[in-house]
Amino acid sequence: MSKTVLHWSYRDYRNVPIDLFLYENLEEVYLKENFITQIPKWLLNLTNLKFIHLSGNALEELPDDIYYLENLEFLDVSNNKITSLPHTIGEMKSLQRLNVSGNKLTEIPKGIGRLKKLEVLDICANQLTSLPMEMSECSHLNELSMSDNTQLTYIPERIANMQSLQFLAAERCGLLYLPAALAKFVNRVNIFQNPSITHIPMIYETFFASFYDAIQTGMPRNIEHPHFFFVREKANNTKLLLPFGTLEVFHVPSVENRITLYDDCLHSLNYLNFFLPLYKNEILLNSLPTKYMGDHIKNGPIARCTHRNCFNPLYTSYYFMPVKRRNSTSKTIFSCNFCSMYCANLWSKENIKKYYSIEWELCDADD
Ligand SMILES: [Zn+2]
């Protein structure tokens, strides 16, 4: 039996037509650009549905029982008036593509992490201020778009670092810095139109086009968080904000190997995260010697070693080196994070024709 597809977009519907019940094997419904204000309960009985397109309606919420649509693979409710998603969203076990962009969401429920088949998530143009760490458990997510959330100040490293991620968009947000631990197989990144960013981690260099330079001149906003870590680059006296969790940075070159035992421990615990995941193990987190250790395990590494053959996770202390492109008028500062002087030296040697390093010094947040 062939599947049934209904094209009922642009029809001035005020409600979802109950005629849907008349169609056998109904799998796909297009109801774009109507005036529908709610998803009726009876619709949740149409469990053959795989695809619902409800973009451009007047929905204010999704029903808690939406997960009754157990075969639903595609749900587009973009450009509605939805203020919150149901906590049961994680029970939509078949969902592969979810578009909730252009709504009024202020948060994403933690349950999203249970969507193990989710491949594409669009949360652009909402009012999000943060992302739940659990999003990093969507193990098949390969496209994540969050542009135009102007209050969103940072992306948890654990999310930017997801193994399956291939596309990441976060333009026109309020990002203060870019996560320096980025998924290894990302092949497209739209993230540079965030006026408060003071430097671009080298890991993004291949995605950075010269036309972004104009945007980088924006004034950094006043940052009140007490735990941020700044350095000042001396050439232009600009403050650079380093990822949250940074406790110590060392110059390149430095004489000795300065990475701490503490970082070594975090490094080892990181491997256990693949199995448990460790960062959700409250008993363990509470038994760690310092609360910061738990924070670092939760957040994941704050950077990866810039040397491409190394890629070691970095936690609290690392060798830091801001650089600029040679023979370029660009003011953009790229930043390198190294696990050791060995990697720093190798990288510098390999890239001496393309970049020169600029000097920096430690500085206080209120300087
Ligand atoms: Zn390294």
Side-chain angles (χ1 to χ4, degrees), residues 305 307 310 312 339-340 343:
C305 182
H307 192 265
C310 174
N312 259 336
C339 70
S340 60
C343 282

Side-chain angles (χ1 to χ4, degrees), residues 304-314 337-344:
R304 296 267 173 190
C305 182
T306 298
H307 192 265
R308 62 193 156 78
N309 293 337
C310 174
F311 219 62
N312 259 336
L314 308 175
N337 315 284
F338 297 108
C339 70
S340 60
M341 270 310 299
Y342 175 79
C343 282

Side-chain angles (χ1 to χ4, degrees), residues 47-67:
T47 50
N48 285 334
L49 277 174
K50 290 187 174 169
F51 183 108
I52 303 179
H53 209 315
L54 274 163
S55 177
N57 279 282
L59 300 175
E60 290 179 9
E61 60 177 12
L62 298 179
D64 282 343
D65 298 336
I66 185 103
Y67 66 93

Side-chain angles (χ1 to χ4, degrees), residues 96-107:
Q96 295 170 16
R97 301 173 78 97
L98 176 61
N99 188 345
V100 294
S101 65
N103 280 289
K104 296 176 175 175
L105 301 176
T106 52
E107 62 176 13

Side-chain angles (χ1 to χ4, degrees), residues 269-280:
L269 287 168
N270 183 51
Y271 289 107
L272 293 174
N273 254 323
F274 289 116
F275 307 108
L276 285 176
L278 197 59
Y279 74 93
K280 293 178 88 178

Side-chain angles (χ1 to χ4, degrees), residues 240-253:
L240 308 179
L241 176 61
L242 299 187
F244 183 70
T246 299
L247 298 180
E248 260 183 316
V249 285
F250 307 117
H251 282 94
V252 176

